[in-house]
Amino acid sequence: MKQKKLLYAGKAKTVYRTDTKGKLIVEFRDDITAFDGGKKDVLKNKGSYNAEVSAFFFGYLAENGVKTHFVKMLDPRHMVVHELSMIPLEVIVRNIAAGSIVRNYPFKEGSKLNPPVIVIDYKDDSRHDPMLNDDLIVALGLCTPAELKKIKKIALEVNRLLVKLLAAQGITLVDFKIEFGRKGKTICLGDEISMDSMRLWDKKTGESLDKDVYRFNKGDVMATYNTVAARIVHAKKRP
Ligand code: CDP
């Protein structure tokens, strides 16, 4: 498969057309950003760690009946995906209160959210990704009520599967963000699921194993990504 013209360059990934209809190549770059792009760096090999973990999660989710855009890896940082028509929603599932939900609401950091809480933000950097509600999502024409119901159902199923997989590796899934798109009429999981888009805490030590290490200068970001990628991907047994 040949990489063709650039379609879209985001903050950490670049998407290219290919010589195959309906297939795109996503390049996971080494750029890392936080706080709406206010903090920026390039960390060697970050892209390949995130690509590896994303590919592993997409494979595991597909085995468990979740439809994703993942096709295959071309090399450690280039992923072939099905082209989707992306829906500009950031679907966040939270099992434990951390991050913006603690800043914006009277939740105590670390308190359990049972059942998990779904928060949906509008993917629009110029507006700082404002939080939406069901009525706003439909009024803005972002998706239909039936699609929204499906998106929430898939998000909770992804959460259930990832919580189980990560727990087997001694990792607590605090929260994560996923994005969806349409392939024809089918809602598919797109984007990535990686250390950049999840909050992971070590079950024993409570240490952060994700982008919070970068956001809050908690330690060596790449050493953390390397260790956590190995812990996730080289898990001997999937649950
Ligand atoms: O990161 P921050 O505390 O500002 O946002 P959050 O709403 O607490 O983020 C919840 C989860 O979604 C975290 O795991 C973030 O890493 C992830 N997220 C993301 O991947 N991309 C965004 N634009 C916003 C959140």
Side-chain angles (χ1 to χ4, degrees):
M1 177 177 289
K2 278 214 184 77
Q3 187 169 302
K4 296 281 191 185
K5 89 175 190 355
L6 185 148
L7 196 60
Y8 172 79
K11 292 197 287 268
K13 298 193 295 301
T14 308
V15 183
Y16 297 91
R17 288 219 169 275
T18 68
D19 54 359
T20 309
K21 196 166 174 271
K23 301 274 193 302
L24 303 176
I25 291 174
V26 179
E27 178 191 5
F28 287 70
R29 306 195 317 268
D30 287 342
D31 302 281
I32 187 163
T33 68
F35 308 119
D36 257 346
K39 180 171 172 167
K40 274 192 218 171
D41 282 282
V42 177
L43 300 176
K44 195 169 179 315
N45 295 330
K46 192 218 65 152
S48 53
Y49 291 131
N50 277 350
E52 186 184 26
V53 166
S54 270
F56 176 78
F57 282 144
F58 283 140
Y60 163 70
L61 292 171
E63 280 167 22
N64 286 280
V66 177
K67 292 193 176 68
T68 86
H69 69 160
F70 178 70
V71 177
K72 64 176 181 184
M73 294 305 297
L74 283 181
D75 62 48
R77 62 172 71 240
H78 292 94
M79 181 185 284
V80 180
V81 301
H82 295 292
E83 181 169 7
L84 300 181
S85 160
M86 291 305 290
I87 303 171
L89 298 176
E90 302 210 329
V91 180
I92 297 166
V93 184
R94 301 174 177 278
N95 297 300
I96 293 187
S100 65
I101 204 178
V102 171
R103 290 196 300 276
N104 298 333
Y105 303 93
F107 286 110
K108 214 171 146 249
E109 160 118 1
S111 57
K112 277 216 171 74
L113 301 169
N114 191 14
V117 171
I118 300 181
V119 172
I120 305 186
D121 292 345
Y122 185 33
K123 190 177 164 75
D124 185 339
D125 277 342
S126 70
R127 294 187 163 81
H128 309 290
D129 301 339
M131 189 191 289
L132 294 169
N133 67 21
D134 292 12
D135 284 356
L136 281 167
I137 291 169
V138 174
L140 285 165
L142 301 177
C143 65
T144 66
E147 285 175 328
L148 184 55
K149 197 170 161 201
K150 181 98 208 228
I151 283 172
K152 289 186 185 176
K153 191 169 168 225
I154 301 171
L156 289 178
E157 176 65 359
V158 169
N159 183 51
R160 189 184 69 78
L161 290 164
L162 294 184
V163 162
K164 192 163 76 161
L165 180 93
L166 290 163
Q169 296 309 308
I171 298 171
T172 301
L173 177 58
V174 175
D175 57 37
F176 63 96
K177 184 262 312 179
I178 46 181
E179 296 179 24
F180 292 89
R182 300 179 187 91
K183 188 152 77 78
K185 285 194 171 149
T186 309
I187 299 284
C188 285
L189 195 53
D191 194 47
E192 69 180 302
I193 311 179
S194 73
M195 286 73 81
D196 278 7
S197 61
M198 323 177 86
R199 258 192 198 97
L200 304 171
W201 291 351
D202 187 283
K203 276 195 190 291
K204 274 207 197 105
T205 64
E207 261 177 296
S208 288
L209 305 172
D210 57 66
K211 196 156 102 175
D212 273 355
V213 178
Y214 173 72
R215 286 190 188 97
F216 305 112
N217 306 313
K218 289 182 175 194
D220 184 335
V221 183
M222 278 309 90
T224 303
Y225 275 40
N226 183 0
T227 314
V228 72
R231 231 163 123 178
I232 293 170
V233 174
H234 302 307
K236 286 220 173 55
K237 247 190 351 196
R238 293 176 183 177

